[in-house]
Amino acid sequence: MVDVDVLERNLQRMTSSAQARGLALRPHVKTHKCLEIARRQVDLGAAGLTVATISEAEVFAAAGFEDLFIAYPVWASGRRARRLRALADEVFLRVGVDSVDGAETLGKALAGGRVSVLVEVDSGHHRSGVQPEAAGTVAAAAEQAGLTVDGAFTFPGHAYGPGRPAQAARDEALGLQSAAGALSGAGFPDSVRSGGSTPTAELSDASTLTEIRPGVYSFNDAQQVELGSCSWSDVALTAAATVVSRSGHRVVLDGGSKLLGADQPVWATGAGRLPDYPDARIVALAEHHATVVLSSDSSVPALGQVVRIAPNHVCAAVNLADEIVVIARGEPVDHWVIAARGTNT
Amino acid sequence: MVDVDVLERNLQRMTSSAQARGLALRPHVKTHKCLEIARRQVDLGAAGLTVATISEAEVFAAAGFEDLFIAYPVWASGRRARRLRALADEVFLRVGVDSVDGAETLGKALAGGRVSVLVEVDSGHHRSGVQPEAAGTVAAAAEQAGLTVDGAFTFPGHAYGPGRPAQAARDEALGLQSAAGALSGAGFPDSVRSGGSTPTAELSDASTLTEIRPGVYSFNDAQQVELGSCSWSDVALTAAATVVSRSGHRVVLDGGSKLLGADQPVWATGAGRLPDYPDARIVALAEHHATVVLSSDSSVPALGQVVRIAPNHVCAAVNLADEIVVIARGEPVDHWVIAARGTNT
């Protein structure tokens, strides 16, 4: 369920923060996968949407969103090639690329279709992305393959650890600066420099970046609270679970990993949190059950009582449900379909 | 995708093993959530199905399955009460109960509807379940509340750790023996004694148990291989992912936690395994990407190559997809809908 007032406040806060710094905001919709929320983000002034996969792009394109960035290096062979061509005919499509081979495959796949690319550079997260100094080589290959090179992007995912966001934001700026230099040297000046994640969004270097792509900020989650990115009052999405077993200060709730997802970074205090019992810890998570230990001076919820759980990673939790119950001032007022649930391909 | 020959062999092997020991087999369908596979299990002689939630029971009841056990202590208030009554009118329904309060709530909810219960006892997993010696008290409360008491059940989930299945199977037998004694003393002799999980299924004490409820054995997964419950040739379900980034002996595949689930017990070697590269390790798992390190003497898959991934926990992976691609001798031959995907309530 989503508290619509908290959601609205989260959307407005990020919009204002980006505007005040002259940064374009291109929210990542993999978090909510929900047309209603994406519409509100665009109405508030988002520059476009960021998506994770071709199938996620297809859902948002079919709903009328016209400016989409697939923020990963897509390998454009076989059916993927045909789908990218169809998307490029329909919307303004931008795609990530991080290798000469990938750029050539993408260029062949699109066969003159109008697609622009951003070169992904690795600013310290060490997942995908070329070294920033190599951005020019990939960009030249992309241009050679018939693609339009718009600039570079990075994901400072190494911000996900207590005390790490500030350094990750500095790494992000350095990586994009270096990439912009490499692009300029290869004949691509005035490029887009896109970064951002929720933990670094407020820390992004506005003199280097032109765009940020946070996703989680719309809902927030236990992980963001534990990272210090937000407080409990900023968590818009929670799951409702019932106490089904109880013994002393230990209760079992009927919500588990098939409701919340199983994400648990090593630094997390547990497998999710209970916003109404901030001292409680989820010590075990089975498919349909969370085992919770309450502090010795806490009240213990009764058998049958409904308790709110904030998942560790809200993007994973949303992708497990078919719809969101919209709550306004404590009452359910609407249902939103999670239109892009399960769009992995 | 599921290799249908491996699936069939897994189903037959467990059926034969249970039959040879005189144990009823009541497979847990939370693993596959798939009507076609449940039908095959019943055709092979399953005594009925085990399900995890009321909504999972509803899907299988609507498809004509007539004997269902909800293997958790259900808290039967509100809408749940009405749904349980409707189910009880339609099929033979058995439900778990592990407290006097839970039994009374269930009895009230069903108001004379014909439902039988098994008392859940804790044999060492320490999630839900009463102490075995207390099974008689819960059973008496259940009978008092108008329910039919059929026996006791346990889930030896503490088998999930290397070297632990044998001890967990002994604990399971001891717990069910003790529960049967307590039930007999309270006037419930000749009871069902139901246990089982995939790691303990072959080790269950057939002189104590009357029934086993394994689920994962139909597909198997990386976790079962690492526990020693099966070998790679017994893994029926894998996910296909493409190499999208490559650097030395490190590749990034475009399949992540939204495809595989994020389950990773502390003893796992990584976030899943590559059956065709048994020495490879998945060292990081993002929502849409797996970072894989191959051994220095291994061949490295090329950019664009498709690679099979075995998830750590197949129940979580299945619940993320809408359908299964059925493979026979390397070729796709059918699609099966994951009919009970997302049935959490």
Side-chain angles (χ1 to χ4, degrees), chain B residues 21 23 121-125 132-133 152-159 164-182 191-197 200-201 203-213:
Chain B
R21 291 177 291 158
L23 290 167
V121 299
D122 180 3
S123 59
H125 182 42
E133 304 72 35
F153 79 107
T154 194
F155 172 60
H158 56 308
R164 293 208 217 133
Q167 183 59 49
R170 286 192 292 273
D171 294 344
E172 170 189 54
L174 285 171
L176 287 173
Q177 241 164 34
S178 171
S191 56
V192 170
R193 296 175 296 280
S194 173
S197 68
T200 57
L203 308 166
S204 297
D205 177 358
S207 65
T208 299
L209 277 70
T210 63
E211 174 182 283
I212 54 173
R213 308 183 316 277

Side-chain angles (χ1 to χ4, degrees), chain A residues 249-274:
Chain A
H249 281 267
R250 183 176 155 283
V251 299
V252 177
L253 306 176
D254 68 350
S257 61
K258 279 181 173 169
L259 177 69
L260 305 169
D263 292 56
Q264 184 169 351
V266 288
W267 46 265
T269 60
R273 288 285 289 272
L274 277 50

